[in-house]
């Protein structure tokens, strides 16, 4: 897994802190997806080098493999991480809102650094696959702090099928497991490119 290596200069980081809530409100993530924006950003970087920065635009090709995700974690705490697309199949007619792309629970934090690889994968990572002609979709990462280790009563979904990915609600999921509001997050936008048909073939759709 790739990691965001260089620490951000302090000033840049402070500017990012104030940007989470503002950008999530601007892009209507509050209230489309969550009622309260997280206070802190998460640092997200794809193996291609593409970074996720408050609604920037990436190509599906750049985001096809699982990214590295970091946030300010508390030692010995457990976290849940998700990536959702509320704009499925399109932002205008989001009848499958939300399509969930990635869901991991019980992520432990060692020395304040979350270790996603040691989390429990509920739904394997699937990159963005916005259908042709549906414009920009929002891809939102949210991190929740758990009240200890959880036992998840969820189907385990692979990256080989699109079954059971749609009609998801991260707010409903958070309520079910008593996760409260997200503590960190970030998002980008993407629209159709040549990688989408390849991904749809992988999903058998
Ligand atoms: C799908 O998931 C498997 C692990 O279950 C992983 O090895 C593989 O690289 C993934 N494939 C894609 C295209 O994401
Ligand atoms: C989506 O889920 C809700 C609640 O679980 C359910 O009431 C609704 O019928 C579902 N819609 C579709 C299209 O599956």
């Amino acid at each position: 897994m790739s990691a965001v290596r260089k620490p951000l200069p302090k000033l840049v980081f402070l500017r990012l802190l104030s940007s989470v809530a503002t950008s999530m409100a601007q892009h209507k993530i509050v209230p489309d997806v969550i009622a309260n924006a997280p206070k802190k950003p998460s640092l997200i970087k794809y193996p291609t080098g593409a970074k996720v920065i408050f609604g920037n635009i990436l190509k599906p090709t750049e985001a096809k493999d699982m990214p590295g995700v970091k946030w300010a974690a508390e030692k010995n705490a457990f976290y849940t991480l998700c990536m959702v697309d509320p704009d499925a199949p399109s932002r205008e007619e989001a009848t499958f809102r939300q399509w969930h792309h990635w869901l991991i629970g019980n992520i432990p934090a060692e020395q304040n650094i979350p270790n996603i690889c040691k989390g429990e994968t509920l739904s394997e990572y699937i990159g963005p696959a916005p259908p042709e002609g549906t414009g920009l979709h929002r891809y939102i990462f949210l991190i929740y702090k758990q009240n200890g280790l959880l036992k998840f009563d969820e189907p385990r979904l692979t990256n080989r099928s699109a079954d059971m990915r749609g009609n998801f609600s991260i707010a409903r999921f958070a309520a079910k497991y008593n996760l409260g509001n997200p503590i960190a997050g970030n998002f980008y936008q993407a629209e159709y490119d040549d990688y989408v048909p390849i991904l749809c073939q992988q999903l058998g759709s």
Side-chain angles (χ1 to χ4, degrees), residues 44 46 52 67 81-83 102 139-143 184-186 188:
I44 304 165
Y46 280 98
V52 175
L81 160 70
C82 74
M83 174 176 133
W102 201 20
Y139 295 91
I140 304 157
F141 294 84
L142 295 169
I143 290 117
N186 216 322
Y188 64 99

Side-chain angles (χ1 to χ4, degrees), residues 37-107:
K39 292 192 171 58
K40 293 185 176 174
S42 54
L43 303 181
I44 304 165
K45 189 179 175 187
Y46 280 98
T48 53
K51 288 180 186 165
V52 175
I53 308 170
F54 306 126
N56 63 331
I57 295 173
L58 301 180
K59 291 183 166 54
T61 304
E62 294 178 291
K64 63 192 177 74
D65 297 315
M66 195 168 76
V69 183
K70 282 189 176 179
W71 60 91
E74 284 171 33
K75 194 180 169 187
N76 298 329
F78 291 94
Y79 295 86
T80 292
L81 160 70
C82 74
M83 174 176 133
V84 297
D85 170 9
D87 305 320
S90 72
R91 189 157 170 176
E92 287 69 37
E93 228 174 306
T95 46
F96 300 137
R97 176 175 291 177
Q98 299 142 21
W99 212 89
H100 79 283
H101 285 258
W102 201 20
L103 190 57
I104 307 185
N106 290 331
I107 299 169

Side-chain angles (χ1 to χ4, degrees), residues 64-66 121 124-127 157-160 195 199 202:
K64 63 192 177 74
D65 297 315
M66 195 168 76
T121 300
E124 287 184 339
Y125 180 81
I126 291 176
L157 306 182
T158 74
N159 59 15
R160 296 275 144 193
Y195 180 66
L199 180 52
Q202 175 190 323

Side-chain angles (χ1 to χ4, degrees), residues 104-130:
I104 307 185
N106 290 331
I107 299 169
E110 294 148 1
Q111 313 300 337
N112 305 88
I113 297 174
N115 191 338
I116 294 175
C117 298
K118 290 197 178 157
E120 186 178 343
T121 300
L122 305 177
S123 302
E124 287 184 339
Y125 180 81
I126 291 176

